[in-house]
Amino acid sequence: MDPKLFGRYEIIRKLAGGGMGRVFLAYDPVLNRQVGLKLIDAGGDRDSIDVVAAERRGAILQDQLAKREQSGRVAQIFDVGDRDGYFYIAMEYIEGEDLSELFANGPLDPQRAVDIALDILDVLVKAHTFQTVIEDRAHRGIIHGDIKPRNIRITSAGQVKVLDFGIAKAVSMTRSLTFNQFGSIPYSSPERLQTGDMDARSDVWSVAVVLFEMLTGKPYFEAEISQKLEWMIRNYRALQPSIAALPPGLREILSRALDPDLSHRFASAAAFRAALFDWRKFAS
């Protein structure tokens, strides 16, 4: 059963669940504000230990990035800790709707979709070039690792917020790739599913899939069961025919962003952002 009280936090209602934990809307009497409270089971098995370690590291990285990302597009972290068999994260609660709600009734206007993608990419450019020290070890770059519509929140004022760096990875100064077995299959790149390794291009791929979904109202990959979906992405060898239905200009950009040949794709979030920025400039 879901708790009504967790430490000092008064649970109001459940917001989301599945995957890496449950998220609740809660009231924090110390801050006198509503927060998003994420609870992750702190089991003793290897998978549970790995999940908690990833969430703990991700919370540290998100907190550091949010404090330095002046636009406010990264959700703030207020409190983390271990209690009553859970690892918990209290984070900024954002009124509004997530991207999946935004395009649930059909595709977004291309200008609106591109504006949202540019905001996401701008956050990722900052994250991928972020430098910090964790446990006396220098790191350069944060890979989000789980960009998907549910982790992109649109406030009532129209601001884009990037949520849940819970499986984020800090890339060490001596290593450009980092292993991570977590992530949402529909938004994971083929090479990530094939090897478990991810780098900045993994986030770029995820943004491309999200942008395709905003423009069409449909997933880039569709299958009846998750195993078949994963097989389709792992064995991705040619652009999906649905690319042809995209608006001119964006068709070419998404064809490159979703190219099955990694060497032909945008090499960075900055390169993808520049292409979309040029499209917007000439389309407006």
Side-chain angles (χ1 to χ4, degrees), residues 1 91 134 138 140 180 217 237 257:
M1 294 179 64
M91 65 195 86
I134 301 174
R140 179 178 57 224
N180 197 308
R237 299 291 182 268

Side-chain angles (χ1 to χ4, degrees), residues 40-74:
I40 301 99
D41 291 310
D45 59 285
R46 172 49 54 187
D47 285 348
S48 296
I49 291 170
D50 288 346
V51 166
V52 169
E55 291 279 355
R56 194 184 306 275
R57 180 179 51 248
I60 293 170
L61 295 172
Q62 181 171 336
D63 179 54
Q64 292 189 11
L65 183 61
K67 286 173 178 174
R68 299 190 212 177
E69 213 281 317
Q70 298 300 313
S71 68
R73 286 175 295 195
V74 177

Side-chain angles (χ1 to χ4, degrees), residues 3-12 25-37 39 77-84 88-92:
K4 300 298 181 187
L5 190 68
F6 184 82
R8 76 185 195 221
Y9 300 101
E10 300 167 16
I11 305 295
I12 299 170
L25 175 63
Y27 173 69
D28 181 354
V30 173
L31 295 179
N32 189 28
R33 66 181 294 168
Q34 291 183 342
V35 299
L37 182 66
L39 302 182
I77 301 293
F78 300 129
D79 183 26
V80 298
D82 301 277
R83 184 185 181 94
D84 302 333
Y88 71 89
I89 307 169
M91 65 195 86
E92 180 183 3

Side-chain angles (χ1 to χ4, degrees), residues 56-153:
R56 194 184 306 275
R57 180 179 51 248
I60 293 170
L61 295 172
Q62 181 171 336
D63 179 54
Q64 292 189 11
L65 183 61
K67 286 173 178 174
R68 299 190 212 177
E69 213 281 317
Q70 298 300 313
S71 68
R73 286 175 295 195
V74 177
Q76 293 178 278
I77 301 293
F78 300 129
D79 183 26
V80 298
D82 301 277
R83 184 185 181 94
D84 302 333
Y86 294 98
F87 173 68
Y88 71 89
I89 307 169
M91 65 195 86
E92 180 183 3
Y93 173 67
I94 299 157
E95 294 278 2
E97 55 187 351
D98 66 40
L99 267 189
S100 59
E101 296 172 303
L102 199 63
F103 58 70
N105 296 320
L108 301 186
D109 172 78
Q111 287 276 3
R112 175 69 169 135
V114 167
D115 283 348
I116 292 171
L118 283 168
D119 274 327
I120 300 168
L121 287 166
D122 197 46
V123 169
L124 291 178
V125 168
K126 292 180 173 67
H128 293 166
T129 56
F130 184 82
Q131 296 192 32
T132 189
V133 175
I134 301 174
E135 296 176 349
D136 298 324
R137 187 180 181 190
H139 292 81
R140 179 178 57 224
I142 300 172
I143 300 166
H144 185 285
D146 200 19
I147 293 291
K148 59 186 177 184
R150 205 175 77 186
N151 281 341
I152 308 300
R153 195 91 175 153

